[in-house]
Amino acid sequence: MRTFNEADLISLFSALRWTVVLVALALACGGPLALLLALMRSSRLAPLRWLAAGVLQLVQGVPLLGLLMFFYFGMPVFLGIEVPSLVAVGVAFTAYTAVFLGEIWRGGIEAVKQTQWEAAACLGLTRWQQFRYVVGPQAFRMALPPTVGFLVQLIKNTSLASVVGFVELARAGQMASAATFQPLLVYSVVAAIYFTLCLPLTVWSRKLEARLNGAR
C-alpha cells in the first residue's frame, strides 16, 4: 500500500483530457443531430414530427448507463468487429446529447412567436432563410442558458463511461483509490476537479438567464 502522491494527481489531470474529449465529441457530433431533431419536431410535416418524437422517446426512455452498455457490448455483436471504447462511448454520448439538446432547442424555436415566421415570409424569404436570419437567432438566445446548463450535466455524466472501462477522470480516480486505499482523499480530489469545471458554467448559465430574461 502506498499514499496518494503527486504522480496520482498527475494521472487524474491526464485522465481529465479524456473527459474533455468526450464532451467535445458529444457536442460536435450530437449538436448537428440535435438541430436536425429540433427542426423536425417543429416542422409543419406530421411524418417528420412523428419520426423525431419516436427517436426522442426511444433514446430518452433508456438511461445513459443503458446506452453505454448497449453500444459498448452491442456494437461488436451487430458489426462483427471490435470497436474501440472511445468510439462506443462517443456514439452513446452523441445519441444522449442529440435528443436532450434537440428538445431544448425545440423549446427555443417554439418560444419564438408565430408572427416572426409570418413577418419573415412577407419579406419573401424561404423557410430555411426565415429560420436562419429571423427565428434562429432569437431561439438561440432563449435556448442558450439551458444549453449551458445541459453542458454541466454532460460533464458530470461522462463519469458513467468508467463502468465500461474507459479511463477518464472518474475511472482514474477509481484506479488511484484502489492503489492507495485512500478513497476519501482521492474522490475528494476528483470531486474538486469536477466542481472547478462545472461551477463557472453554472454561474454563467444563471447570469445568461437573468440577462436574457431582462432583455425581453
Side-chain angles (χ1 to χ4, degrees):
M1 185 178 70
R2 60 179 177 80
T3 60
F4 184 79
N5 54 38
E6 183 179 347
D8 295 307
L9 188 61
I10 292 174
S11 71
L12 291 179
F13 280 102
S14 178
L16 177 61
R17 63 180 176 175
W18 290 109
T19 295
V20 175
V21 167
L22 278 182
V23 173
L25 186 63
L27 291 176
C29 298
L33 293 176
L35 180 59
L36 177 61
L37 287 172
L39 292 174
M40 290 174 65
R41 287 276 282 154
S42 306
S43 173
R44 292 178 291 186
L45 300 176
L48 290 180
R49 295 198 305 270
W50 297 339
L51 177 60
V55 172
L56 290 167
Q57 291 297 324
L58 177 63
V59 179
Q60 288 184 343
V62 179
L64 178 56
L65 184 58
L67 290 175
L68 287 166
M69 292 291 189
F70 174 79
F71 286 110
Y72 184 74
F73 294 108
M75 289 180 71
V77 173
F78 293 123
L79 298 180
I81 58 174
E82 288 297 323
V83 177
S85 58
L86 177 60
V87 174
V89 171
V91 171
F93 276 100
T94 294
Y96 172 79
T97 299
V99 296
F100 282 94
L101 269 188
E103 278 296 270
I104 291 172
W105 293 349
R106 178 192 65 84
I109 293 171
E110 294 186 349
V112 178
K113 295 180 179 180
Q114 183 62 30
T115 52
Q116 296 294 308
W117 289 98
E118 295 170 356
C122 290
L123 296 176
L125 301 179
T126 64
R127 186 72 175 177
W128 168 246
Q129 290 173 331
Q130 293 170 31
F131 174 78
R132 180 180 178 183
Y133 296 112
V134 179
V135 176
Q138 298 179 63
F140 173 77
R141 284 173 57 87
M142 287 184 279
L144 185 57
T147 298
V148 177
F150 173 78
L151 177 58
V152 173
Q153 296 299 318
L154 182 61
I155 292 173
K156 293 187 289 186
N157 283 338
T158 56
S159 61
L160 292 176
S162 62
V163 301
V164 295
F166 186 80
V167 183
E168 40 66 64
L169 179 56
R171 178 62 176 169
Q174 290 177 351
M175 295 166 64
S177 175
T180 62
F181 290 94
Q182 293 179 293
L184 180 59
L185 174 60
V186 172
Y187 286 117
S188 294
V189 173
V190 170
I193 295 174
Y194 277 117
F195 181 78
T196 303
L197 282 176
C198 295
L199 180 62
L201 292 172
T202 301
V203 173
W204 184 38
S205 175
R206 291 176 179 173
K207 287 184 177 180
L208 282 173
E209 186 173 6
R211 182 186 306 168
L212 295 178
N213 283 339
R216 291 180 187 175

